[in-house]
Amino acid sequence: QEPVRQGLFRIFEVFADTIVICTLTALVILLSGVPVSYGQAAGADFAMLETQCDLAEARAALLAANALSFPAVVSFTFEPGGRTLMGNPPEACATLAEALGALAVGMDLDHSFGGNGKPDVVLGLPMRPRTQKDIESYVKRTKLPFIIKGVLSVQDALKCADIGVKGIVVSHHHG
């Protein structure tokens, strides 16, 4: 029951974000008539392909970046069982990132803790916080630099550095 609810939420989330929000944003930009620079022409060094839940979506995003000759970093979201929503193991995610020339690979930590300091709950499912040992095991599965998205404290950033994480993204979905 819970995996079904979580899957339905992810489908809605992707639809709402990708189809509705991105399409409306693109239409506003296109209809405005204002020329818009993007990518390297706008000063960006790389694309951040974050919160990937499946190898197919990550592959499509990396291939698109490659087609534009634009360097990319890809990060995956792993569920409490240690796999992506679509069941992909971390090794497969790292292998894909390496094979398609990503600058770095990583994982999201968002939704680990709620405002009360306890594990966050999404659609009734408790999100398991990652231990230093968990993260270190992911770092060792790739030859690429490893990044962590969702670091919220100096202490956590230092712990990440101690186990070989090469970059952090400070963020949290709860604001």
Side-chain angles (χ1 to χ4, degrees), residues 48-120:
M48 179 69 183
L49 312 172
E50 52 116 356
T51 317
Q52 303 298 304
C53 299
D54 182 44
L55 287 179
E57 72 176 348
R59 182 182 301 108
L62 283 166
L63 288 173
N66 288 345
L68 297 171
S69 299
F70 196 63
V73 172
V74 61
S75 72
F76 291 86
T77 297
F78 296 101
E79 302 300 322
R83 293 178 171 261
T84 66
L85 175 65
M86 301 311 261
N88 309 117
E91 295 85 3
C93 298
T95 299
L96 176 78
E98 290 169 8
L100 292 180
L103 291 176
V105 65
M107 67 185 290
D108 296 359
L109 295 180
D110 291 313
H111 291 299
S112 289
F113 296 99
N116 59 4
K118 295 181 180 177
D120 200 2

Side-chain angles (χ1 to χ4, degrees), residues 1-59:
Q1 174 71 6
E2 294 304 324
V4 171
R5 286 180 52 195
Q6 191 170 13
L8 289 173
F9 174 76
R10 291 290 179 138
I11 290 169
F12 170 76
E13 178 183 38
V14 169
F15 173 79
D17 183 44
T18 305
I19 304 301
V20 177
I21 295 171
C22 291
T23 300
L24 288 175
T25 302
L27 284 172
V28 168
I29 291 169
L30 291 172
L31 294 174
S32 73
V34 176
V36 178
S37 296
Y38 62 91
Q40 291 169 326
D45 294 320
F46 62 90
M48 179 69 183
L49 312 172
E50 52 116 356
T51 317
Q52 303 298 304
C53 299
D54 182 44
L55 287 179
E57 72 176 348
R59 182 182 301 108

Side-chain angles (χ1 to χ4, degrees), residues 125-143:
L125 297 173
M127 299 288 103
R128 181 178 65 85
R130 304 290 188 234
T131 66
Q132 205 168 348
K133 187 176 177 181
D134 290 339
I135 296 168
E136 187 173 21
S137 76
Y138 289 107
V139 171
K140 290 180 178 180
R141 295 173 195 204
T142 183
K143 298 174 199 132

